[in-house]
Amino acid sequence: MSVFDWFTTAANWQGPDGIVTRLGEHVGYVLFALVIAVVIAFPLGLWVGHTGRGAVVLVGAGNAIRALPTLGLVTFLFLLFTESTTATIIGLVVLAIPPILAGTYAGLQAAEHDVVDAAEGIGMTGWQRLWQVELPIALPLVLGGIRNAVLQLIATAAVAAYVGLGGLGRFLLDGLAILDYPEVVAGAILTALLAIVFDLVLAAVQRALVPRGVRLAALATTGSAATAGGVA
């Protein structure tokens, strides 16, 4: 059987082991973990970026978390909690926190100090400066961190299959178990297509949310950097 035959076989699209069901499970793991990670990382990134406190600890902790192997972490959590869903979601949340945290912190730090000082000079409180000045400027990097986290989650959520759950990882694991390589390749293709679709959707959301002036300023900065690099 070829990969094309596998995709055109109706039985592979239906039932509890079909593509539609596995795709829904995979998306569910990704969105659930993403929401929890945003709730944790976004406020923390705002606080560190706005106050400047704990930046060294933040960078060190983020690098340490990135070094953790997700499959090993999920396996350890499964042995600890003996519950597949809990172990998988915690492992995915740990994976998603660093890019969101780093994007939020870096975005606030990238805000022009002259603009922030001007906002303070006209009498804005710290809270007003954060939400009305710093965060709109930081939005491209904040949303970029979320997009990065989503792509990592989609690629890594396949580990759910290793602890008995569903998702697109089932095609990889089950296909390897019976040497059904078209099923393995199909699982990889579905995962890649899902990542592309999510990235395109998030790119559209980013374009809609980021103020036009901020987008133009970012393009101007990118163009200036490219020109300087060409001259050098």
Side-chain angles (χ1 to χ4, degrees):
M1 180 183 292
S2 68
V3 177
F4 177 79
D5 293 332
W6 192 91
F7 273 112
T8 54
T9 300
N12 292 330
W13 290 85
Q14 303 168 356
D17 298 326
I19 293 174
V20 176
T21 300
R22 295 306 186 197
L23 195 60
E25 292 169 344
H26 203 93
V27 171
Y29 301 145
V30 170
L31 294 181
F32 191 26
L34 179 65
V35 169
I36 297 175
V38 169
V39 169
I40 296 172
F42 182 66
L44 182 58
L46 287 180
W47 182 78
V48 175
H50 181 66
T51 63
R53 300 173 184 172
V56 176
V57 176
L58 173 69
V59 173
N63 291 334
I65 292 174
R66 288 174 190 271
L68 291 174
T70 307
L71 179 58
L73 178 62
V74 169
T75 303
F76 170 75
L77 291 172
F78 175 71
L79 295 175
L80 183 64
F81 295 109
T82 65
E83 216 291 313
S84 300
T85 304
T86 301
T88 300
I89 295 302
I90 292 177
L92 293 177
V93 168
V94 170
L95 173 72
I97 284 177
I100 299 173
L101 198 58
T104 305
Y105 166 74
L108 292 181
Q109 287 295 300
E112 292 286 344
H113 293 294
D114 292 340
V115 176
V116 177
D117 292 340
E120 185 177 4
I122 64 174
M124 279 189 171
T125 64
W127 187 259
Q128 290 173 327
R129 292 197 307 274
L130 174 61
W131 291 103
Q132 298 179 27
V133 178
E134 297 177 42
L135 186 57
I137 296 175
L139 265 182
L141 288 178
V142 173
L143 295 176
I146 293 176
R147 287 174 65 181
N148 188 11
V150 168
L151 293 179
Q152 292 186 38
L153 286 173
I154 291 174
T156 313
V159 300
Y162 285 89
V163 288
L165 296 180
L168 297 178
R170 287 253 58 105
F171 296 132
L172 304 176
L173 192 65
D174 296 344
L176 287 173
I178 60 175
L179 302 182
D180 186 349
Y181 296 114
E183 182 176 354
V184 175
V185 175
I189 291 174
L190 288 169
T191 304
L193 290 176
L194 182 63
I196 292 172
V197 170
F198 262 80
D199 194 52
L200 291 175
V201 171
L202 290 175
V205 171
Q206 181 172 344
R207 183 174 180 81
L209 292 181
V210 175
R212 185 170 181 271
V214 175
R215 291 204 309 269
L216 293 176
L219 289 174
T221 302
T222 303
S224 300
T227 302
V231 172

